[in-house]
């Protein structure tokens, strides 16, 4: 009997949610070979017909959204409303790609005095999509949709911590597509290494932590396989002295930190506030949290924050807060607990705001990836920019100000791939805006036209004017003039 991956509910750790088969290296090889064989025919399909198939695939998933959302909530600990939102947004993204891909992927031709130039967008082949547990549906679709539109085939390997909903979703999508164009397999690090290092994989798309990314990139580099990496962040939030601290923006900021229990790469993770407004900010933030942040079972009505994903994650986050307090910080619980919740049944961590913590504390210097966030005060903008840019990560950041021009001026000085203005996290995203990191937060882009082009190689056909009929010619060893 083949080995299986078992997933229990992080909100009720005694509850078995489901299992999926784990692939051994032989199974990985068979799946990749099938994808490689299917890719040639898929690439010959016209782009218009490929995107029509993607629309049909979205239609095949849509009736199943309620069941898929509940399954995702039970396996991951994300609240049910967020799971519904993630699934719906994933289909919206797929349809957006179907609308825009024909134009982005179209050949470009020039014929002028310099010669004739044809730029073609060609697929890579088989794309290996390595996806995490915290948003497994949308983070898989960000790879599946543009890769398929560009004529690649795709093999998805989800995280063992949330394999169930994405397994069903991929199979539903695949039911509307030709055989082996889209497949899913499961496994541990060995299965991931076998997939990433396979000689028939043409590109690797990875979302996850920096440590795993290094291993993934190294395995891909052994085959000189190109990669796109979307990694972690330690996103600073810069509240300028004129920032609006009224309830509505504060509610938005609270959820930017604590949605998915803070387990989001682009969550707001360091809150910088003017020293003169520190106490005002803390009071406003805690008041907003009391309104919108409710800890409890993800399936319960009114709950906006569930458990963290594992016992190890809970222990790590608790340790960060304890360390910050030992260094002189003060941990302030925020939000409220659902009266019907049994917090002893799962991996629940009380959300906290931590004040008075030094800049070198791990809670500040490292990505917390959990329901705790430090508040750091500043006196001048010059020092603020340097502190915000400290560290090796540069995924996201945000600037909050009543003056949009001032906010943009500050944003231009930040070392981040995506800077939000007067919001943060998913409320600041846009389908048209490419997303990705700088520094050690990865490379390549998702979303936007750039996210579609990421899965197509530019190939060139060129006839220089000098050597066309009637051309002036050139010396055999001449450099181009233009």
């Amino acid at each position: 009997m083949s080995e299986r991956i078992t997933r229990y509910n992080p909100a009720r750790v005694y509850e078995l949610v489901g299992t999926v088969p784990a692939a051994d290296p032989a199974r990985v090889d068979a799946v990749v070979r099938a994808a490689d064989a299917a890719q040639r025919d898929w690439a010959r399909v016209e782009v218009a017909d490929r995107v029509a198939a993607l629309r049909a695939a979205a239609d095949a998933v849509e009736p199943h959204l309620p069941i898929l959302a509940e399954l995702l909530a039970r396996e991951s600990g994300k609240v049910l409303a967020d799971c519904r939102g993630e699934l719906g947004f994933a289909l919206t993204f797929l349809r957006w790609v179907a609308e825009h891909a024909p134009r982005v992927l179209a050949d470009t031709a020039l014929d002028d005095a310099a010669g004739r130039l044809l730029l073609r967008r060609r697929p890579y082949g088989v794309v290996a999509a390595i996806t995490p547990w915290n948003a497994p549906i949308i983070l898989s679709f960000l790879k599946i949709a543009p890769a398929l539109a560009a004529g690649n085939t795709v093999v998805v390997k989800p995280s063992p911590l949330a394999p169930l909903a994405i397994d069903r979703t991929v199979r539903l999508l695949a039911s509307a597509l030709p055989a082996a164009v889209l497949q899913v397999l499961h496994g541990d690090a060995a299965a991931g290494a076998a997939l990433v290092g396979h000689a028939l994989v043409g590109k690797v798309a990875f979302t996850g932590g920096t440590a795993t990314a290094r291993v993934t990139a190294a395995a891909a580099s052994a085959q000189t396989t190109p990669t796109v990496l979307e990694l972690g962040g330690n996103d600073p939030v810069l509240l300028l002295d004129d920032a609006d601290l009224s309830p509505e923006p504060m509610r938005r900021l609270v959820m930017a930190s604590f949605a998915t229990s803070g387990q989001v790469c682009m969550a707001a993770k360091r809150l910088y506030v003017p020293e003169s407004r520190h106490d005002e900010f803390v009071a406003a933030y805690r008041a907003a949290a009391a309104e919108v942040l409710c800890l409890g079972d993800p399936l319960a009505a009114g709950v906006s924050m569930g458990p963290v994903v594992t016992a190890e994650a809970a222990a790590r986050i608790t340790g960060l807060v304890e360390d910050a307090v030992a260094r002189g910080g003060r941990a302030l619980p925020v939000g409220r607990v659902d009266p019907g919740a049994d917090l002893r049944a799962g991996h629940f961590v009380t959300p906290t705001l931590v004040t008075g913590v030094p800049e070198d504390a791990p809670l500040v210097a490292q990505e917390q990836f959990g329901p705790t966030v430090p508040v750091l005060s500043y006196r001048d903008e010059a020092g603020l920019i340097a502190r915000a840019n400290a560290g090796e990560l540069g995924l996201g950041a945000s600037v909050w100000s009543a003056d949009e021009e001032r906010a943009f001026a500050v944003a231009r000085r930040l070392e981040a791939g995506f800077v939000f203005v007067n919001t943060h996290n998913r409320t600041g995203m846009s389908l048209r805006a490419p997303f990705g990191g700088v520094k050690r937060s990865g490379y390549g882009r998702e979303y936007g036209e750039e996210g579609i082009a990421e899965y197509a190689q530019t190939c060139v056909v060129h006839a220089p004017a000098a050597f066309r009929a009637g051309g002036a010619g050139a010396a055999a060893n001449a450099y181009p003039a233009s």
Side-chain angles (χ1 to χ4, degrees):
M1 182 178 294
S2 64
E3 184 180 347
R4 300 188 71 82
I5 294 170
T6 302
R7 187 64 188 144
Y8 288 87
N9 187 338
R12 297 186 294 275
V13 296
Y14 51 82
E15 178 187 293
L16 174 65
V17 183
T19 68
V20 290
D24 59 16
R27 174 61 181 161
V28 173
D29 179 66
V31 167
V32 173
R33 289 184 182 280
D36 179 64
Q39 193 272 327
R40 291 162 179 77
D41 288 337
W42 180 243
R44 282 192 285 268
V45 174
E46 294 293 331
V47 175
D49 293 328
R50 290 200 298 262
V51 300
L54 290 182
R55 292 189 181 97
D59 293 343
V61 173
E62 190 135 29
H64 302 270
L65 292 187
I67 293 173
L68 293 169
E70 182 173 335
L71 179 60
L72 180 58
R74 291 174 61 218
E75 70 172 327
S76 69
K78 289 178 64 167
V79 298
L80 185 58
D82 284 353
C83 293
R84 290 172 180 150
E86 179 181 337
L87 280 152
F89 180 60
L91 295 186
T92 296
F93 173 75
L94 190 152
R95 290 169 174 137
W96 185 90
V97 169
E99 178 185 352
H100 292 273
R103 177 175 50 79
V104 175
L105 299 172
D107 291 347
T108 302
L110 295 173
D111 194 343
D112 56 20
R116 184 176 177 184
L117 182 65
L118 175 65
L119 305 180
R120 307 177 67 212
R121 309 292 184 183
R122 307 301 300 161
Y124 284 89
V126 179
V127 171
I130 313 297
T131 58
W133 52 265
N134 60 331
I137 308 298
I138 183 58
L139 293 176
S140 295
F141 274 55
L142 289 175
K143 301 156 183 57
I144 291 169
L148 292 180
N152 306 280
T153 53
V154 180
V155 178
V156 181
K157 200 214 77 77
S159 166
L161 295 178
L164 304 173
I166 187 59
D167 182 272
R168 291 194 191 179
T169 304
V170 169
R171 293 181 190 280
L172 287 166
L173 287 170
S175 70
L177 300 169
V181 163
L182 174 62
Q183 301 173 86
V184 59
L185 56 81
H186 304 277
D188 56 13
L195 176 59
V196 170
H198 200 290
L200 294 178
V201 167
K203 186 159 189 175
V204 174
F206 172 90
T207 300
T210 303
T212 306
R214 291 191 180 105
V215 175
T216 300
S221 69
Q223 299 289 344
T224 63
T225 303
T227 57
V228 52
L229 305 177
E230 198 270 276
L231 310 181
N234 192 11
D235 291 18
V237 173
L238 284 63
L239 292 118
L240 304 187
D241 55 18
D242 63 346
D244 183 359
L245 304 185
S246 64
E248 194 278 327
M250 286 298 95
R251 289 192 292 264
R252 197 160 61 245
L253 181 54
V254 167
M255 294 313 299
S257 294
F258 292 107
T260 316
S261 302
Q263 300 168 122
V264 179
C265 60
M266 59 180 177
K269 297 189 175 84
R270 293 178 285 154
L271 311 181
Y272 289 95
V273 302
E275 189 176 89
S276 61
R277 303 189 72 186
H278 178 275
D279 293 348
E280 178 192 1
F281 170 80
V282 170
Y285 189 98
R286 297 188 77 188
E291 290 185 55
V292 300
L293 198 59
C294 180
L295 178 65
D297 189 291
L299 298 179
V303 167
S304 58
M305 190 184 117
V308 296
V309 69
T310 62
E312 292 77 12
R316 179 184 58 79
I317 296 156
T318 301
L320 286 173
V321 176
E322 291 174 347
D323 172 81
V325 171
R327 294 169 183 261
R330 182 186 178 200
L332 304 172
V334 295
R336 50 197 165 82
V337 176
D338 178 51
D342 180 5
L343 301 188
R344 297 169 299 177
H347 309 310
F348 290 94
V349 177
T350 300
T352 57
L353 196 66
V354 183
T355 63
V357 61
E359 205 92 8
D360 61 351
L363 181 67
V364 179
Q366 300 173 11
E367 181 183 21
Q368 311 99 19
F369 216 71
T372 182
V373 63
V375 179
L376 306 147
S377 60
Y378 69 91
R379 293 184 179 179
D380 61 88
E381 281 187 21
L384 170 63
I385 299 298
R387 292 165 68 188
N389 288 338
E392 63 178 9
L393 300 178
L395 186 59
S398 63
V399 182
W400 301 62
S401 172
D403 183 341
E404 188 174 281
E405 288 302 318
R406 184 184 178 199
F408 268 73
V410 172
R412 289 187 179 96
R413 301 169 64 191
L414 297 178
E415 296 171 357
F418 200 113
V419 181
F420 307 93
V421 173
N422 290 325
T423 192
H424 202 116
N425 206 332
R426 68 181 181 226
T427 57
M429 300 294 291
S430 169
L431 291 172
R432 69 179 185 175
F435 181 85
V438 299
K439 300 196 287 190
R440 300 296 183 188
S441 287
Y443 47 81
R445 292 295 180 263
E446 296 182 319
Y447 294 103
E449 294 185 1
E450 289 86 346
I452 298 173
E454 194 73 57
Y455 294 91
Q457 305 175 83
T458 301
C459 299
V460 173
V461 182
H462 184 217
F467 310 115
R468 299 176 74 185
N477 63 348
Y479 285 93
S482 61

